[in-house]
Amino acid sequence: MSVARRAAFVAGVVIALIIAATFTTTGAPRDRAVGTGTDVGTASTWYCAEGTSNPNGRADEVIVLGNVGTTKSNALVTVFSGSDAAPVRRSVAVAAGAVARVKVSDIVAVAEPGVLVEVRGGPTVVEHQIQRGTDQALGPCAREPVPRVSFAGGSTMKGAELWLALFNPFPDDAIVDVRGVTGDGVRAPGALQGVVVPRFSRLSVPVHEAIPRADLVAVEMTVRRGRAIAEQSLALDATDGRQGLALSEGGVASRRWAFPIGLTGSGHQERLVLANRSNRDVRVTVRFALDAAAAVEPESLILPGTTALAVDTKRVPPDVGFSVSIRADRPIVAEMVGANGAPQPADVRGLAADLGFSVGARRWAVVPARLDAGSTDSLAIVSMDGRPHRVQVVRSDGPRPRVVARINVPATGRQLVDLAKLVSGVNVAVTVRANGPVAVERESTRPGLTRSRAIPG
């Protein structure tokens, strides 16, 4: 080998070593998140933005880890509370097929905790539960930061608190802009522009103070610099007849949406909110599929540019369950806000918000299957491609996964699964396996009202 070729070979080796040191085995940069201080790219990483852990906080947070595999997993839960505070960590082992719960206040009591969960071992999904008094909400933690996150179902009328939690577990400060699309157009107060989210910090933004007295507020967060995770909570105090706590992880605009769960009558109300963040009008078609033999004609409407509006669901007969499908000629954001009020019994009154499904999957994880020992829990499953599908519900606990239900999901409409008949314990995860793309959502009542999307993949 000539001297020139030998020099080129050595240079190539050095470059390769530098690249290998910069990236993990999966190709993710080392600074993807800072938890252990080491390479976390090979771990399953989850970001839980909303929640508090200080005494009398507005949203006491519990991390819920569900292992849906056949081997043990190990989770490292890291709580960040500011650039100047050292993160606090706790290791949690999750047995195969089990569910583990970790109160964030047991790790550290702070007003602004941002939680990062890194999992190795068996396939484990991460959700978190927030509670305020007797009101509670549950939802998946985020998988990765995105440059723009949209919500639709917010309100800042009297008696409402609308919080946007911004979490930055990365080594650089982030700068974000926040605006609200309302029934009267866009509101982007200066206080919500150029918001700095310091590194290793969580920041709560009181949207109800910056954009007050708006019946509909579809919040949008755009990252100007850096990376951040956003999550929204809505608390209502019964001033407008609705009371409870709702949690939303947000999403991106889409031309199609599906909602597996809907119900009207007997003190229950559904509010389907559509938000158009663009300047152009959008043509939208909303279809209701009823559990009963009755039918409701599709509704076609024009959603003006930079406007949010609520679709009337009272056309559905009282006490009839339904699902909703939405098609639009341009991307929009859609969210359903359900509320149980009087004359419902006190233990089922509550509030729930769920962003619709824009894509389906063949596998979904439901963690936990039961909210608690006394709750009434069910799954609603809809087809996402207009074709019927065969579905299996699988319990993950025990020595091996086992099928506990086989059902057929119709091409239109939904199929309900009573989880109380399939699962008796509260620390059990289930998976849903389908032969085609479906969407899966869980609803729990007693206590309150809670809805959460199953986790795909």
Side-chain angles (χ1 to χ4, degrees):
M1 182 182 293
S2 67
V3 174
R5 288 184 177 180
R6 183 179 295 109
F9 174 80
V10 171
V13 171
V14 171
I15 293 172
L17 290 173
I18 292 173
I19 294 174
T22 305
F23 289 85
T24 70
T25 57
T26 60
R30 280 185 178 269
D31 67 346
R32 178 177 178 181
V34 178
T36 62
T38 59
D39 174 15
V40 300
T42 58
S44 169
T45 306
W46 303 76
Y47 307 91
C48 311
E50 177 61 311
T52 57
S53 65
N54 56 321
N56 301 315
R58 60 179 172 79
D60 294 336
E61 184 178 16
V62 176
I63 304 299
V64 183
L65 305 109
N67 185 342
V68 296
T70 57
T71 58
K72 184 184 75 171
S73 65
N74 293 284
L76 181 65
V77 181
T78 302
V79 183
F80 296 92
S81 56
S83 303
D84 299 328
V88 183
R89 304 181 177 94
R90 173 171 295 184
S91 296
V92 182
V94 188
V99 174
R101 292 173 169 83
V102 181
K103 292 184 66 175
V104 178
S105 60
D106 288 344
I107 301 177
V108 60
V110 292
E112 294 284 350
V115 182
L116 169 71
V117 182
E118 302 161 83
V119 183
R120 297 180 186 274
T124 300
V125 299
V126 181
E127 301 205 47
H128 62 155
Q129 182 175 339
I130 60 173
Q131 186 160 346
R132 180 173 182 163
T134 59
D135 299 321
Q136 57 187 335
L138 178 73
C141 296
R143 297 304 312 277
E144 61 184 357
V146 293
R148 176 179 290 167
V149 177
S150 298
F151 308 83
S155 175
T156 60
M157 295 297 286
K158 183 179 180 181
E161 290 185 23
L162 185 62
W163 292 91
L164 182 66
L166 302 172
F167 179 31
N168 176 11
F170 303 103
D172 299 309
D173 292 351
I175 300 178
V176 306
D177 298 318
V178 180
R179 69 174 190 167
V181 177
T182 73
D184 299 320
V186 172
R187 295 173 64 176
L192 300 186
Q193 309 310 303
V195 177
V196 177
V197 187
R199 64 193 187 105
F200 310 141
S201 298
R202 205 283 301 277
L203 176 67
S204 293
V205 177
V207 180
H208 52 281
E209 295 180 2
I211 308 177
R213 299 295 186 267
D215 183 39
L216 300 176
V217 182
V219 173
E220 182 178 77
M221 185 278 291
T222 303
V223 178
R224 186 190 301 181
R225 190 183 75 187
R227 290 166 290 177
I229 293 90
E231 199 170 13
Q232 178 178 282
S233 67
L234 173 65
L236 300 178
D237 69 357
T239 298
D240 68 353
R242 299 178 297 167
Q243 181 175 344
L245 180 65
L247 180 66
S248 177
E249 70 269 28
V252 297
S254 174
R255 288 185 172 88
R256 59 179 298 188
W257 294 96
F259 294 87
I261 297 177
L263 181 67
T264 61
S266 300
H268 187 94
Q269 57 176 295
E270 298 284 1
R271 196 178 210 193
L272 176 59
V273 182
L274 311 179
N276 179 5
R277 71 186 190 193
S278 73
N279 294 322
R280 295 177 58 180
D281 293 353
V282 177
R283 185 178 300 277
V284 182
T285 301
V286 181
R287 290 182 171 86
F288 299 89
L290 310 188
D291 294 347
V296 175
E297 288 295 319
E299 180 175 354
S300 296
L301 57 91
I302 298 297
L303 180 59
T306 59
T307 300
L309 62 80
V311 176
D312 182 15
T313 62
K314 294 181 180 179
R315 298 186 301 127
V316 177
D319 302 321
V320 173
F322 62 90
S323 59
V324 179
S325 62
I326 298 171
R327 296 293 183 270
D329 62 3
R330 293 179 60 82
I332 63 172
V333 182
E335 193 162 12
M336 186 93 82
V337 182
N340 281 340
Q344 295 275 11
D347 62 346
V348 301
R349 296 178 190 173
L351 182 73
D354 59 309
L355 196 77
F357 294 81
S358 56
V359 295
R362 292 173 180 260
R363 289 201 173 203
W364 297 86
V366 183
V367 177
R370 302 287 306 281
L371 193 62
D372 61 40
S375 60
T376 301
D377 310 276
S378 62
L379 294 180
I381 308 173
V382 298
S383 170
M384 291 295 289
D385 64 355
R387 299 177 181 178
H389 295 298
R390 297 187 303 275
V391 171
Q392 295 178 341
V393 181
V394 182
R395 284 186 61 156
S396 299
D397 57 323
R400 63 175 61 90
R402 62 190 188 278
V403 177
V404 292
R406 290 181 171 88
I407 60 175
N408 294 316
V409 175
T412 59
R414 64 181 185 171
Q415 183 62 260
L416 298 178
V417 179
D418 186 351
L419 288 172
K421 294 181 179 180
L422 306 178
V423 177
S424 57
V426 297
N427 291 324
V428 178
V430 301
T431 56
V432 175
R433 304 174 182 177
N435 68 341
V438 299
V440 181
E441 187 173 18
R442 191 199 62 193
E443 181 177 70
S444 299
T445 57
R446 291 190 170 91
L449 174 66
T450 301
R451 290 176 184 169
S452 60
R453 297 158 52 95
I455 299 173

